[in-house]
Amino acid sequence: TLRMRVPALLILLICFRGRAGPSPHFLQQPEDLVVLLGEEARLPCALGAYWGLVQWTKSGLALGGQRDLPGWSRYWISGNAAKGQHDLHIRPVELEDEASYECQATQAGLRSRPAQLHVLVPPEAPQVLGGPSVSLVAGIPVNLTCRSRGDARPTPELLWFRDGVRLDGITIHQTVLKEGTPESVESTLTLTPSSHDDGATLVCRARSQALPTGRDTAITLSLQYPPEVTLSAAPHTVQVGEKVTFLCHATAQPPVTGYRWAKGGSPVLGARGPRLEVVADASFLTEPVSCEVSNAVGSANRTTALDVLFGPILQAKPEPVSVDVGEDASFICAWRGNPLPRVTWTRRGGAQVLGSGPTLRLPSVGPEDAGDYVCRAEPGLSGLGGGAAEARLTVNAPPVVTALHSAPAFLRGPARLQCLVFASPAPDAVVWSWDEGFLEAGSRGRFLVETFPAPEGHEGQGPGLISVLHISGTQESDFSRSFNCSARNRLGEGGARASLGRRDLLPTVRIVAGVAAATTTLLMVITGVALCCWRHGKASASFLEQKNLMRIPGSSDGSSSRGPEEEETGSGEDRGPIVNTDHSDLVLEEEGALQTKDPTNGYYKVRGVSPPAPPDSCVTSLQWKSPGISNLP
């Protein structure tokens, strides 16, 4: 019988369910909710055709199936369960209640859509830094900062008002004071106060969705101002060396606490108080005097420069310039003075004015433009100052070569040829060349080349060199050929030809020897005659003219020579060029002709006494023949 009842009951149950009506479903589901902190939150939930267990979850955590929700003191479920009402209540709402909530019919397997609970926190009254009374300085921009306080949700908006009117010029920025703490919002008001703002009231208001009307904090402005300064100088226009008095007058609130004087940015030591006396110099024109006055809230500075009259003073000398031929050259020469001096440019040794002003430009210069250029400033009104400064222009060009005079040489004796080279830039090489060869330096056979620095040449012509070609044991061909001295640099080449003069030894020696012998013999004869006449007491007697005439040959044509010993000494020497380092003139050795002249011009007339004298008389007649003259050709 039991086995027959069980299937019957199952069939009855199935039939009963089919007649029960619709399946369980939600009549009302919870929706997102925004609520203020401390108020009550209500999340509705209604089910139809369901009489089983209903529970709420908070972010996936089940709160329980009982209506009073044990363990959740601020949570409960309300409504008529028979009618399917299962509303969740939270009171008072706290920040931790902000979560996602679901209503679930567990036996029917139903879950509502998630409902987000948002908790709003009204802002507290903001804080104005420096309040409630803020001391400001008139005319100086200031930033007033208003900062929100508390954990307001959402973040509040900070506004500034004056007399109920919202102020512009506000910048807002948000900062996190410390990690893990609530955010703090700051609003900065940039304000340039004036005297009319003294005692004014400003309001900072914090408002948000949680508190649309907002909360206010008021401050009062207290205006102060730094010193207002005027600076004067008497007299304002002065000559160098005159006394000047500066007066610094100031008004301030609060009162002035100190004065500070400076000149050109550097403090004036020992200067205190509103008065300063100085002796003017040129520096006061470019280094103004300033007076700084301070009080408790700030300081103010005023500056004035004197009009100091002084003559020209050189500030920047012109620098030497070196350019290639054909290029432009320029010089800069800076003078200062008050009034501004007139600057002119000339060439040293010349009077023509080439230009005026601090800069001289010379376009496309040539070798003739090389030299020293002078910038000159005229003295000022006081007659003091002024002067000149100069700089050299060097024009780089091919070398200029000049053959120097060389002394004649003897056959088979030593000889020397010289050339003078001026070049800028300095020559790469100086070369001597002749028929069968050339030589730059050192020796080659009978030839030797030496090079020496030369005295300074023409202005701007560049450094000079003397190149000497020594020849030992001259030959006949040396006197008929030409020797070429050439030099080169990066701009070109220059050269000059030199030839060797010849000197004969024999005629010169014979002439000198004959003249010397004749002169010696003549002096001996004159001395003998004078002694004889004095001895016989006939110094006062007159000699009768005799017909005998004596001639002393000599060198009447002015030619001269050196003796054999001198020739040997001269031929044995091999001296380099003579360079006078103390002077700019070049001293070059030249061998001139030595002249030996007979003081009687070659003739003496000696006459006897007529009638003939006795045998003991002084001299009746005198005849003399020089042995040296008979040998002359």
Side-chain angles (χ1 to χ4, degrees), residues 82-448:
K83 296 181 179 181
Q85 294 178 348
H86 306 275
D87 298 340
L88 176 64
H89 292 260
I90 306 173
R91 188 180 62 187
V93 173
E94 297 181 359
L95 291 177
E96 63 184 25
D97 299 329
E98 190 169 81
S100 176
Y101 295 86
E102 290 184 1
C103 179
Q104 299 179 354
T106 56
Q107 293 175 337
L110 295 178
R111 299 175 60 182
S112 69
R113 61 172 171 266
Q116 186 69 37
L117 177 61
H118 298 279
V119 179
L120 301 183
V121 180
E124 298 181 10
Q127 176 188 11
V128 178
L129 302 184
S133 178
V134 179
S135 179
L136 303 179
V137 178
I140 298 180
V142 65
N143 293 329
L144 298 178
T145 301
C146 179
R147 179 179 297 166
S148 67
R149 296 187 299 177
D151 188 16
R153 295 188 183 187
T155 301
E157 178 185 15
L158 299 178
L159 305 175
W160 288 91
F161 295 87
R162 176 176 177 176
D163 299 332
V165 178
R166 183 174 174 177
L167 299 178
D168 296 326
I170 300 173
T171 59
I172 300 176
H173 62 278
Q174 179 173 313
T175 58
V176 178
L177 295 182
K178 186 177 181 182
E179 185 177 356
T181 62
E183 293 184 349
S184 173
V185 179
E186 290 184 350
S187 175
T188 302
L189 172 65
T190 300
L191 176 67
T192 302
S194 65
S195 58
H196 303 288
D197 296 322
D198 189 25
T201 299
L202 297 182
V203 173
C204 178
R205 176 176 299 167
R207 71 180 184 183
S208 70
Q209 180 183 355
L211 187 62
T213 57
R215 291 180 177 174
D216 297 342
T217 297
I219 60 170
T220 302
L221 302 183
S222 176
L223 265 294
Q224 294 179 327
Y225 58 93
E228 298 177 355
V229 182
T230 57
L231 179 61
S232 62
H236 186 264
T237 301
V238 294
Q239 294 276 355
V240 171
E242 293 183 355
K243 289 186 177 181
V244 180
T245 300
F246 293 90
L247 292 177
C248 186
H249 181 263
T251 58
Q253 178 62 39
V256 172
T257 57
Y259 293 85
R260 180 178 178 271
W261 292 89
K263 174 178 174 286
S266 299
V268 179
L269 300 179
R272 296 181 177 85
R275 183 184 180 94
L276 175 65
E277 292 185 352
V278 298
V279 176
D281 57 32
S283 65
F284 282 89
L285 185 65
T286 56
E287 298 179 5
V289 173
S290 62
C291 174
E292 183 181 66
V293 185
S294 304
N295 65 358
V297 297
S299 62
N301 188 299
R302 291 294 180 271
T303 301
T304 186
L306 293 179
D307 185 17
V308 183
L309 304 178
F310 60 94
I313 300 174
L314 181 62
Q315 281 187 306
K317 295 178 60 178
E319 298 293 334
V321 175
S322 177
V323 297
D324 291 348
V325 63
E327 294 182 348
D328 297 342
S330 62
F331 295 95
I332 297 177
C333 180
W335 295 82
R336 72 184 185 97
N338 189 28
L340 192 66
R342 180 177 179 268
V343 180
T344 58
W345 291 86
T346 59
R347 193 165 178 175
R348 188 171 70 174
Q352 180 183 1
V353 176
L354 304 176
S356 60
T359 302
L360 174 65
R361 291 182 173 85
L362 302 174
S364 187
V365 298
E368 68 278 0
D369 296 315
D372 294 323
Y373 289 82
V374 182
C375 71
R376 181 173 286 102
E378 300 299 330
L381 298 178
S382 62
L384 301 176
E390 65 180 43
R392 173 159 295 183
L393 172 62
T394 301
V395 179
N396 300 322
V400 177
V401 183
T402 304
L404 301 179
H405 174 74
S406 299
F410 298 106
L411 181 64
R412 290 182 295 279
R416 181 173 59 189
L417 296 174
Q418 304 176 104
C419 69
L420 179 62
V421 179
F422 286 108
S424 177
D428 301 326
V430 179
V431 180
W432 285 91
S433 59
W434 55 94
D435 294 342
E436 69 273 11
F438 65 92
L439 186 60
E440 178 179 343
S443 61
R444 177 183 178 184
R446 298 182 297 114
F447 301 95
L448 171 67

Side-chain angles (χ1 to χ4, degrees), residues 488-563:
R488 66 178 180 274
N489 60 13
R490 64 178 176 83
L491 296 175
E493 184 175 355
R497 293 185 177 274
S499 59
L500 184 61
R502 182 170 180 173
R503 172 181 295 178
D504 292 328
L505 175 62
L506 183 59
T508 303
V509 175
R510 296 179 64 183
I511 291 174
V512 173
V515 171
T519 303
T520 303
T521 304
L522 179 60
L523 291 176
M524 293 176 62
V525 172
I526 294 175
T527 302
V529 171
L531 290 175
C532 182
C533 293
W534 174 77
R535 184 176 182 181
H536 293 278
K538 298 181 184 286
S540 60
S542 299
F543 290 93
L544 297 178
E545 183 177 4
Q546 296 185 3
K547 300 296 183 178
N548 298 327
L549 177 64
M550 179 184 66
R551 176 172 178 170
I552 308 300
S555 177
S556 60
D557 58 357
S559 63
S560 63
S561 178
R562 293 182 291 180

